[in-house]
Amino acid sequence: MSVSDSLLQGVIDAVDATGKPTTKLTKEAEGLSARIVLRNPRREVEVRGNRRVKDILRELDIVPETVLVIRSDDLMTADQIVADGDTIELRPVMSGGSASRDRSTDEASDETGGRASRDGSRRRV
Amino acid sequence: MKCRKCGKGAVLELRRHNTAFCAPDFLDFFRNQVREAIRRWRMFGPDEHVLVAVSGGKDSLALWDVLLEEGYRTTGLYLDLGIFDYSIESRAKCERFAADRGVALLVSRVAEEVGAPVPVIQRVTRRPPCSSCGLSKRYVINRVAHEHGFPVVATGHNLDDEAATLFGSVLHWQTEALARQSPALGSTHPKLVRRVKPLYRLSERETAAYAFLRRIDYIVEECPFAEGATSIAHKQVLDRMEAASPGAKHNFLFGYLDRARPAFERAEGVELRECVRCGQVTTGTLCAFCKLADQVKRAT
């Protein structure tokens, strides 16, 4: 397990009595100094600061194109430096689950052609 | 990183275009892409009243915002899916957006239309939740648009949505779906309203950046039923390809639209008729929406 995996795992494992994720850092995270806020579910990790955005994303194994990097009210580009003491939000941009089917109002749900998969697409069985 | 247009500090890098923009120039780029989409596919004219289907998410609210900025006459339509706190919050986002801008928002509820909210439909029919949800959305949006006399419905599907749908259709060689995939679907029946996707030239990250820079308050949380959805798995595969080869998604979708789609279009030919019960458009006798409502009624 990489450092980033253990960081994320430590956070994901931390839940309060109601089952909601809490901010509980693993030993690896203690003493590190830039705070990273992740979403869906919301949680936080700390990483070593004074590095470029792209280096932090790589450590966390996050594809840069899948997030907006937000500091205060500004977007950050991959080459910008995250300083010690900074709080950065990594906001996912992916939405989905919708079935994108058009034309008549009912195809893709008509079961005559096969079984619908989770996204509503039709799969032959 | 510098803005390619003005040389000031960039806020967003667009690797597929090998460029970066400051906030004002990115917003210009975004609006230009929407204008180009509307122009190229003749989606609607300046005098047409557009029904914008909104979910409270970044894409549909960004779409509504940019159409308002461009001076189009619009009305929003929110479909309440009845998905716990997610629907309550997303409806509030849409209502606040509309109120802040003084524009009209229509609201329909799946629970009233189908007889039960999406979580109950999923439980009693054992259908995948995205399937019954998608079916309900298509049906209700079209019917509301037709009943209110809107000539066109605009949805917030972006480049990633379209590329993922294309990817899924190709994986299973769904030739009917391939023929239908288009940024603009004309009205092929008097009760079928024209449907357009003005954001199809813009990536998910670009619509998220637009929504953020325009300070649009959208729901960031994911639909609780989206986890494990096939379309998300397809998006993740495409994201990895895009990271390795910027522009892969763009080339995949635009190449299909420009060069491959006409071949599938020629192959398709379905007869559209009206559902014997509700009168909406279907390829069968009883439409799939009425079948779904029957199934829910029997089980509840």
Side-chain angles (χ1 to χ4, degrees):
Chain A
M1 184 181 284
S2 68
V3 172
S4 59
D5 289 340
S6 61
L7 282 173
L8 289 170
Q9 192 62 50
V11 173
I12 291 165
D13 286 347
V15 292
D16 64 16
T18 66
K20 291 180 180 172
T22 61
T23 305
K24 182 180 175 184
L25 302 176
T26 55
K27 284 185 178 176
E28 288 89 335
E30 289 172 2
L32 301 176
S33 52
R35 197 154 60 104
I36 310 294
V37 180
L38 300 145
R39 307 288 289 258
N40 296 336
R42 191 182 179 93
R43 62 234 191 257
E44 295 179 4
V45 296
E46 287 197 19
V47 298
R48 187 162 50 83
N50 293 326
R51 289 187 297 160
R52 293 176 304 181
V53 166
K54 67 167 78 170
D55 298 324
I56 291 173
L57 293 178
R58 190 178 300 130
E59 178 184 316
L60 297 174
D61 193 24
I62 291 172
V63 177
E65 289 294 310
T66 63
V67 289
L68 290 181
V69 183
I70 300 168
R71 180 170 58 192
S72 301
D73 284 336
D74 295 319
L75 295 178
M76 296 182 79
T77 52
D79 63 337
Q80 284 184 275
I81 300 293
V82 176
D84 282 341
D86 276 354
T87 296
I88 305 297
E89 178 187 347
L90 301 182
R91 184 179 295 184
V93 300
M94 187 182 291
S95 55
S98 63
S100 179
R101 291 284 181 272
D102 294 295
R103 188 65 174 273
S104 79
T105 54
D106 64 355
E107 82 277 314
S109 58
D110 181 350
E111 302 289 356
T112 56
R115 182 178 298 167
S117 69
R118 179 137 196 189
D119 65 349
S121 63
R122 194 178 294 169
R123 182 174 297 155
R124 294 278 173 190
V125 289
Chain B
M1 201 174 292
K2 301 293 182 192
C3 172
R4 192 171 187 172
K5 278 184 81 177
C6 70
K8 292 180 183 166
V11 297
L12 198 71
E13 182 184 14
L14 307 183
R15 289 183 71 210
R16 72 188 170 101
H17 291 298
N18 193 26
T19 194
F21 289 122
C22 65
D25 286 328
F26 170 71
L27 295 176
D28 269 353
F29 162 84
F30 191 94
R31 293 184 188 110
N32 283 335
Q33 291 297 317
V34 173
R35 282 184 205 128
E36 174 63 9
I38 294 169
R39 185 197 66 79
R40 180 172 292 207
W41 291 85
R42 297 176 184 172
M43 291 183 174
F44 41 79
D47 299 326
E48 289 189 292
H49 194 165
V50 182
L51 183 66
V52 185
V54 290
S55 65
K58 67 187 190 309
D59 301 305
S60 57
L61 291 184
L63 171 63
W64 201 2
D65 182 82
V66 73
L67 293 183
L68 288 168
E69 285 288 301
E70 291 293 299
Y72 287 103
R73 197 155 54 103
T74 60
T75 291
L77 170 62
Y78 174 77
L79 183 58
D80 186 338
L81 305 168
I83 304 178
F84 318 120
D85 289 348
Y86 175 77
S87 287
I88 294 168
E89 193 181 340
S90 58
R91 177 175 174 163
K93 303 278 187 199
C94 293
E95 289 176 336
R96 201 171 306 128
F97 180 99
D100 287 349
R101 290 157 180 81
V103 288
L105 176 71
L106 305 174
V107 176
S108 285
R109 295 178 64 232
V110 165
E112 286 172 7
E113 301 283 349
V114 188
V118 166
V120 174
I121 296 172
Q122 189 244 342
R123 197 178 68 240
V124 302
T125 64
R126 296 187 180 179
R127 294 171 69 105
C130 300
S131 167
S132 55
C133 182
L135 165 63
S136 303
K137 279 180 182 171
R138 285 189 298 278
Y139 179 92
V140 174
I141 289 169
N142 183 74
R143 203 188 63 197
V144 169
H146 177 66
E147 286 174 356
H148 285 77
F150 289 98
V152 59
V153 171
T155 59
H157 292 96
N158 57 45
L159 193 157
D160 292 69
D161 296 325
E162 294 299 283
T165 299
L166 177 61
F167 187 65
S169 299
V170 169
L171 273 183
H172 301 291
W173 287 115
Q174 296 166 317
T175 53
E176 289 176 20
L178 286 168
R180 285 193 302 274
Q181 176 143 6
S182 172
L185 288 165
S187 174
T188 52
H189 185 281
K191 288 187 176 178
L192 214 48
V193 177
R194 192 162 81 246
R195 200 177 277 231
V196 297
K197 302 165 185 171
L199 301 185
Y200 85 97
R201 302 177 64 84
L202 292 150
S203 74
E204 210 150 44
R205 189 158 177 266
E206 289 155 17
T207 62
Y210 178 89
F212 177 82
L213 293 171
R214 290 280 301 157
R215 307 299 181 218
I216 295 171
D217 182 19
Y218 67 90
I219 187 161
V220 176
E221 284 66 35
E222 193 54 84
C223 170
F225 286 117
E227 192 180 349
T230 312
S231 59
I232 287 186
H234 292 165
K235 281 186 175 180
Q236 288 167 338
V237 170
L238 291 170
D239 277 338
R240 291 284 172 184
M241 291 170 65
E242 182 75 20
S245 176
K249 283 186 274 197
H250 178 111
N251 293 336
F252 180 50
L253 177 66
F254 283 53
Y256 174 75
L257 294 174
D258 291 342
R259 296 195 292 277
R261 185 173 174 271
F264 290 98
E265 217 173 10
R266 281 194 295 274
E268 197 212 18
V270 292
E271 187 189 343
L272 298 177
R273 54 184 92 170
E274 294 182 11
C275 172
V276 293
R277 184 180 303 162
C278 72
Q280 291 298 300
V281 184
T282 179
T283 51
T285 308
L286 189 68
C287 79
F289 183 84
C290 286
K291 288 180 191 168
L292 175 70
D294 278 350
Q295 206 178 349
V296 171
K297 198 174 177 183
R298 281 196 300 272
T300 53

